[in-house]
Structure formats: structure tokens, C-alpha cells
Amino acid sequence: MAEANGVNVGSGCEEKGPEELSQESARPGTTISRVKLFDTMVDTFIQKLVAAGSYQRFTDCYKCFYQLQPEMTQRIYDKFVTQLQTSIQEEISEIKAEGNLEAVLNALDVIVEGSKDCEQPAWRPSGIPEKDLRSTVVPYFLQQRDALQRRVQKQEAENRQLADAVLAGRRQVEALQLQGQARRQAWQALHREQKELVAVLREPE
């Protein structure tokens, strides 16, 4: 009777274990999400943990207290088991939230589902490490090289635009300098003419 009162132990509708879910997923036409499988594994772990710490073992550890207060012992055990389950579930929820585990597992399910329609055979090692390394690394390096070349071309185009802008600015500055020199020379010529005119006007008759 005592063990029957344990939380989530010996219930009539037990959840299926990971082995049963794996067998179901192996059946044709049935797929089980990895999130559900992970949750089922956690629930199974909690159930087995509670079963391992049964009420009988609990009372064996506290025989004197159990003999004096059997009902109190039962309530303490139930409270302990409930808090243990709650704390484990909260820890697992925090781990899932911090690692974004549900999104990762769902993305993995999408990848697996998408690969089912792929007619090409999956990659297998050839047995020659050098060849396998080249087949994996070379495409990556080629992709990086193409990306770098595109960046270099883009930067070179930007540099050409900046160089053209600098040259245009220099030409404009030179034009302004020439214009300033022409105006200064014109002003100097005008100033000389004014001096000559003043000198002529001041000559005695």
C-alpha cells in the first residue's frame, strides 16, 4: 500500500520507454520526433529513479521514525518524491532552454526527413584518410577562396571608385588654383594700371 502511494509509480497508463519508441520509429510510416523521444527518456529516468528509491527503502532507512509516525513518514516520502521530480524537470527545462535543444532537435528531424527523398547514396569513407580529407576539405577551401575572391573584387572596385574620386578632387583643386592665380595676376595687372594712371594724373602740366 505504501509503494502504491508513490508519485507516478505503478500508474495504470505508463509512458512508453525509449526502446519501445525506437521500435515504433523503426516501423514503416511511423516517425517520432526527437523532442518527444528526449522527453520520454527523461520521464523514464525519473520513473526508474523513483522506483529505485521506493517507500520500502525509505522506511528501512528511518525505521525508528516510521514506527513512531508511519503516516508522517508517508507524507514526508511523498513530498520528497514530488520535489525530486519537480527539481529534475526544472533542471532539464533550463538545459533545454539554454541550449535551444528543441529547435536543434526539430531542425535535425527536418534534415532527416529531407534526406529521405535524396536518391544519391550517403557519403561513406573510402578507407584512404588522405582522399577522404581532400574530399571534405578541398570543397570548403574552394568555397572560401571564391568568397575571398569576391570580396577582393568588391574591395578593388571600391578602391577604384575612391581613386577616381581623389583624382577628380585633385583636378578640381588644380583648376581652382589656376583660377586663383589668373585672378591674382589680373588683379596685379589692374593694380599696376591704376598706379600708372595715378602717376600720369599727378604729373605737372
Side-chain angles (χ1 to χ4, degrees):
M1 176 179 177
E3 293 197 17
N5 292 331
V7 180
N8 290 341
V9 178
S11 58
C13 54
E14 296 182 356
E15 294 189 4
K16 298 179 181 179
E19 296 84 0
E20 296 178 359
L21 287 175
S22 299
Q23 293 176 359
E24 285 189 4
S25 61
R27 297 173 187 171
T30 59
T31 55
I32 296 178
S33 67
R34 284 169 172 75
V35 175
K36 184 177 180 181
L37 181 61
F38 177 81
D39 292 338
T40 303
M41 291 176 63
V42 172
D43 293 339
T44 303
F45 164 75
I46 294 175
Q47 291 175 7
K48 291 183 178 181
L49 180 64
V50 173
S54 62
Y55 181 72
Q56 183 62 44
R57 292 183 179 179
F58 186 81
T59 55
D60 290 342
C61 295
Y62 303 96
K63 286 184 179 179
C64 296
F65 184 77
Y66 171 70
Q67 291 173 356
L68 294 174
Q69 297 286 342
E71 295 181 357
M72 179 64 69
T73 305
Q74 179 67 55
R75 288 197 294 270
I76 292 174
Y77 173 77
D78 292 341
K79 185 68 173 177
F80 167 75
V81 170
T82 301
Q83 290 184 350
L84 178 64
Q85 289 178 314
T86 302
S87 62
I88 292 176
Q89 290 172 347
E90 289 178 351
E91 288 289 336
I92 295 297
S93 298
E94 290 181 3
I95 292 173
K96 289 169 66 177
E98 290 178 359
N100 199 17
L101 196 57
E102 289 191 9
V104 173
L105 293 176
N106 289 330
L108 184 58
D109 288 336
V110 172
I111 293 173
V112 172
E113 288 295 327
S115 65
K116 291 181 180 179
D117 298 331
C118 184
E119 297 179 355
Q120 297 180 354
W123 180 86
R124 295 290 184 273
S126 64
I128 305 174
E130 294 82 0
K131 182 179 179 181
D132 295 337
L133 183 62
R134 284 196 302 270
S135 65
T136 304
V137 175
V138 170
Y140 171 77
F141 283 131
L142 291 176
Q143 182 181 5
Q144 293 298 315
R145 184 194 65 183
D146 295 339
L148 289 174
Q149 286 179 346
R150 288 193 296 270
R151 291 183 62 182
V152 168
Q153 292 173 356
K154 181 179 179 181
Q155 190 64 43
E156 288 178 347
E158 292 178 356
N159 291 341
R160 285 193 296 269
Q161 292 179 355
L162 291 174
D164 294 339
V166 170
L167 290 176
R170 287 179 180 176
R171 295 191 190 98
Q172 186 175 5
V173 169
E174 291 175 356
L176 291 174
Q177 288 178 346
L178 293 174
Q179 185 178 2
Q181 290 177 357
R183 289 182 178 179
R184 185 171 63 254
Q185 291 173 357
W187 180 84
Q188 289 175 351
L190 180 61
H191 185 63
R192 285 195 300 269
E193 291 177 358
Q194 288 178 348
K195 282 185 177 181
E196 292 175 357
L197 180 61
V198 170
V200 169
L201 293 176
R202 287 182 180 179
E203 289 180 356
E205 297 181 355

